[in-house]
């Protein structure tokens, strides 16, 4: 997922990660509309073949699919071939973007600390060779950096509350020479600054264990001097791809163009991660729903898109939406975006909108999840995935994701053995029936609680402050 995303227990906090957009409360509407299960629900669910989804994830996650690389292009060709095997004409849209080349050397040593520390880099972190006194600056707010006296020093900062980029820029503004970010969960910390910025200073990541050990020394009054070296990092132009398959409406109202619904996911992954869950899972559910819906009658146009360079800052979806005509944007009524929807070690399914409010997507999905599972899927606020690009164009959009995310998000352990067929089946069923409930040929009865352009708030049940 771009960049870093309960059992939605009502007391837990979300633990997403990546580019970084604060998410807030989850809620279920106090008066969610009650829908009788249409006969088409069984038709959709019966058609879903979870083994096909799983096999596509298995193929895609053989290797990392970093945007602009040969492995991404191979994945794109596979996705195109799959769409075509279902009877679609699939198009590949190319776009250029500034790409980050990982450094070939990342080193961190600390005088005054016993033991070796393994450091990682953040994507878009800049080269540097520096030494300086280490100071602890909490979460990396400007106030904490000021209080720590970070000028000319190397700031030790904990992950959490806001994005890596904000932390590094805050440190730079307060005159720090470099940044060491330590994880707030077990395991390695792999992240991104989201894009190139001339204001960045050299920054590395370390584990929670190492970070807490360094903090213990500092709290005990031990003076630590850190030496940090990053070499070989480079930012340059590369090419990525979106793959688009369209199912035209089989029947339209005379003299009226059909509405458009999008089902989307991103096919790229971060470096070093096979990306089985992030986001071969969303891509493969998108492919399966394209197969399931292909020959069903609809009065709505359905577009299935897998985006490239999501991990670089939602670049594929931004490029795609920016190139839609005014007419296409006006006719688009919903974007169902699937990101990280298959990990057996993640939490429960949630639906996140960019503004945290209900829209047509949440209405349809909560109705379908109520019909299928007996209760509506909770919704809340969250960004960092491709639904944001649609939402910013004024299109009702929402992200389907499990939260909290699995411990190996953005790591080499995001592999096929961590995928749950039950979760894939659940998400595919909810989204597939929600989409077809709106797209099928019959008179639509609009939810009285939803009007296009009018948001309906639901009570927020708890606050969530985490971010990567």
């Amino acid at each position: 997922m771009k960049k870093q995303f309960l059992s939605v227990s009502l007391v837990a906090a979300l633990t997403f990660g990546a580019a970084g957009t604060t998410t807030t409360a989850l809620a279920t509407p106090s008066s969610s509309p009650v829908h009788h299960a249409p006969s088409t629900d069984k038709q959709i669910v019966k058609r879903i073949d979870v083994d096909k989804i799983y096999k596509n994830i298995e193929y895609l996650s053989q290797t990392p699919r970093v945007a602009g690389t040969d492995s991404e292009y191979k994945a794109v060709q596979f996705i195109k071939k799959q769409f075509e095997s279902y009877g679609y004409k699939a198009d590949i849209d190319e776009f250029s973007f500034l790409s980050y080349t990982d450094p070939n050397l990342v080193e961190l040593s600390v005088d005054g600390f016993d033991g070796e520390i393994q450091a990682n880099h953040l994507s878009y972190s800049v080269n540097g060779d520096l030494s300086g006194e280490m100071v602890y600056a909490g979460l990396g707010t400007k106030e904490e950096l000021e209080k720590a006296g970070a000028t000319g020093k190397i700031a030790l900062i904990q992950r959490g509350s806001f994005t890596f980029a904000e932390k590094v820029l805050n440190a730079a503004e307060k005159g720090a020479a470099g940044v060491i970010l330590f994880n707030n969960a077990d395991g390695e910390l792999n992240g991104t600054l989201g894009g190139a910025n001339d204001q960045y200073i050299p920054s590395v990541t370390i584990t929670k264990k190492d970070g807490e050990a360094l903090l213990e020394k500092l709290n005990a009054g031990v003076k630590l001097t850190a030496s940090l070296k990053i070499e070989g990092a480079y930012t340059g132009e590369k090419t990525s791809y979106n793959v688009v398959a369209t199912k035209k409406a089989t029947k339209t109202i005379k003299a009226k163009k059909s509405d458009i619904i999008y089902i989307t996911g991103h096919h790229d992954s971060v470096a070093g991660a096979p990306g089985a869950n992030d986001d071969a899972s969303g891509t493969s559910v998108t492919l399966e729903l394209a197969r399931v819906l292909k020959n069903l009658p609809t009065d709505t146009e359905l577009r299935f898109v897998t985006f490239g360079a999501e991990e670089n800052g939602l670049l594929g979806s931004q490029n795609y939406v920016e190139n839609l005509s005014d007419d296409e944007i006006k006719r688009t009524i919903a974007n169902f975006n699937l990101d990280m929807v298959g990990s057996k070690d993640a939490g429960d399914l949630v639906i996140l909108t960019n503004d945290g409010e209900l829209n047509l997507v949440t209405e349809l999905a909560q109705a379908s999840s109520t019909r299928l599972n007996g209760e509506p899927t909770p919704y809340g606020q969250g960004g960092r995935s491709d639904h944001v690009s649609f939402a910013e164009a004024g299109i009702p959009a929402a992200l389907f994701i499990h939260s909290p995310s699995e411990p190996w998000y953005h790591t080499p352990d995001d592999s096929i053995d961590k995928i749950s067929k039950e979760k894939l089946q659940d998400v595919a069923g909810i989204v597939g029936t929600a989409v077809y409930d709106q797209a099928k040929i019959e008179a639509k009865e609009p939810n009285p609680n939803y009007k296009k352009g009018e948001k309906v708030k639901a009570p927020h049940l708890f606050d969530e402050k985490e971010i990567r």
Side-chain angles (χ1 to χ4, degrees):
M1 151 168 209
K2 170 170 167 328
K3 321 262 117 273
Q4 318 137 12
F5 297 104
L6 339 163
S7 82
V8 184
S9 70
L10 301 183
V11 294
L14 298 175
T15 51
F16 298 168
T21 299
T22 302
T23 57
T24 56
L26 288 188
T28 54
S30 55
S31 58
S32 185
V34 177
H35 293 244
H36 295 292
S39 59
T40 53
D41 279 359
K42 290 183 179 180
Q43 183 181 180
I44 296 296
V45 172
K46 185 177 181 180
R47 285 170 176 251
I48 295 168
D49 187 338
V50 73
D51 289 330
K52 290 183 183 294
I53 302 174
Y54 190 87
K55 288 177 181 177
N56 284 339
I57 296 173
E58 187 172 36
Y59 177 87
L60 289 168
S61 61
Q62 294 178 76
T63 183
R65 306 172 302 280
V66 177
T69 64
D70 289 341
S71 60
E72 186 211 7
Y73 186 71
K74 181 181 178 182
V76 163
Q77 293 298 319
F78 172 78
I79 293 164
K80 180 176 185 290
K81 183 178 179 180
Q82 292 301 97
F83 277 134
E84 290 172 344
S85 73
Y86 308 149
Y88 290 92
K89 177 185 180 298
D91 296 314
I92 296 176
D93 295 337
E94 294 186 5
F95 61 94
S96 298
F97 68 103
L98 283 178
S99 172
Y100 180 74
T101 299
D102 294 317
N104 51 41
L105 177 67
V106 179
E107 291 182 346
L108 172 65
S109 60
V110 181
D111 290 339
F113 179 77
D114 297 329
E116 183 177 338
I117 298 177
Q118 180 63 47
N120 250 324
H121 71 286
L122 289 164
S123 294
Y124 294 101
S125 186
V126 296
N127 295 320
D129 187 356
L130 57 139
S131 296
E133 180 184 350
M134 185 188 301
V135 294
Y136 178 59
L139 291 170
T141 65
K142 294 177 183 179
E143 294 75 17
E144 289 172 311
L145 287 153
E146 184 77 34
K147 184 177 180 180
T151 301
K153 299 173 183 176
I154 295 178
L156 177 67
I157 296 174
Q158 186 176 20
R159 171 190 177 189
S161 295
F162 50 98
T163 68
F164 297 143
E166 291 174 280
K167 294 172 187 287
V168 172
L169 289 173
N170 285 347
E173 182 178 325
K174 295 303 178 181
V179 171
I180 301 170
L181 283 155
F182 69 96
N183 209 348
N184 57 4
D186 293 336
E188 294 183 0
L189 175 53
N190 295 282
T192 179
L193 296 175
N197 190 318
D198 292 339
Q199 302 303 312
Y200 288 152
I201 55 178
S203 51
V204 298
T205 67
I206 60 176
T207 64
K208 177 184 178 182
K209 179 181 178 181
D210 287 339
E212 290 178 343
L214 291 172
L215 180 57
E216 184 178 356
K217 288 282 189 181
L218 291 173
N219 287 339
V222 178
K223 184 176 180 179
L224 301 178
T225 299
S227 297
L228 190 162
K229 181 183 289 188
I230 302 175
E231 293 182 353
Y234 172 76
T235 300
E237 190 171 278
K238 289 190 177 181
T239 299
S240 186
Y241 315 87
N242 298 326
V243 189
V244 185
T246 300
K247 177 192 182 317
K248 294 291 186 181
T250 50
K251 179 181 180 181
T252 58
I253 299 173
K254 188 176 182 180
K256 180 183 180 297
K257 291 184 178 179
S258 66
D259 290 337
I260 303 170
I261 293 177
Y262 281 90
I263 300 176
T264 60
H266 72 89
H267 55 248
D268 64 310
S269 73
V270 298
N277 194 44
D278 187 18
D279 182 35
S281 64
T283 292
S284 298
V285 173
T286 297
L287 283 169
E288 179 61 7
L289 291 179
R291 187 190 69 82
V292 166
L293 295 166
K294 176 64 175 70
N295 296 315
L296 294 178
T298 62
D299 59 14
T300 302
E301 181 175 316
L302 304 180
R303 295 186 184 180
F304 305 89
V305 188
T306 71
F307 296 114
E310 188 269 0
E311 300 289 2
N312 300 77
L314 314 183
L315 300 184
S317 57
Q318 287 175 0
N319 182 273
Y320 181 83
V321 174
E322 286 171 0
N323 283 285
L324 291 175
S325 67
D326 291 342
D327 176 68
E328 287 175 305
I329 290 175
K330 183 179 179 180
R331 291 192 291 124
T332 300
I333 62 170
N335 166 231
F336 292 75
N337 185 52
L338 306 165
D339 201 343
M340 299 171 65
V341 294
S343 176
K344 65 183 181 183
D345 297 298
D348 293 338
L349 183 65
V350 297
I351 310 170
L352 303 180
T353 59
N354 199 39
D355 58 8
E357 296 185 5
L358 291 166
N359 60 31
L360 181 59
V361 180
T362 58
E363 176 210 347
L364 292 168
Q366 287 196 324
S368 68
S369 57
T370 299
R371 296 194 306 267
L372 296 178
N373 300 329
E375 59 183 9
T377 302
Y379 80 95
Q381 182 181 11
R384 289 170 312 192
S385 193
D386 291 309
H387 65 296
V388 173
S389 300
F390 289 85
E392 290 178 345
I395 295 168
L399 167 66
F400 293 76
I401 189 169
H402 293 102
S403 185
S405 57
E406 64 276 12
W408 29 80
Y409 165 85
H410 277 192
T411 74
D413 291 321
D414 182 8
S415 50
I416 186 64
D417 58 301
K418 313 298 194 312
I419 295 297
S420 162
K421 290 185 178 181
E422 290 76 15
K423 286 186 175 179
L424 296 174
Q425 178 73 46
D426 180 59
V427 174
I430 290 171
V431 173
T433 56
V435 169
Y436 195 57
D437 195 27
Q438 178 67 29
K440 65 190 177 188
I441 299 175
E442 68 176 32
K444 306 294 192 298
E445 294 184 9
N447 177 0
N449 293 322
Y450 175 81
K451 295 180 182 178
K452 191 168 185 179
E454 178 180 325
K455 308 287 185 183
V456 181
K457 292 185 177 180
H460 284 152
L461 302 180
F462 71 95
D463 289 329
E464 181 279 317
K465 304 290 186 185
E466 152 68 1
I467 211 42
R468 297 176 202 231

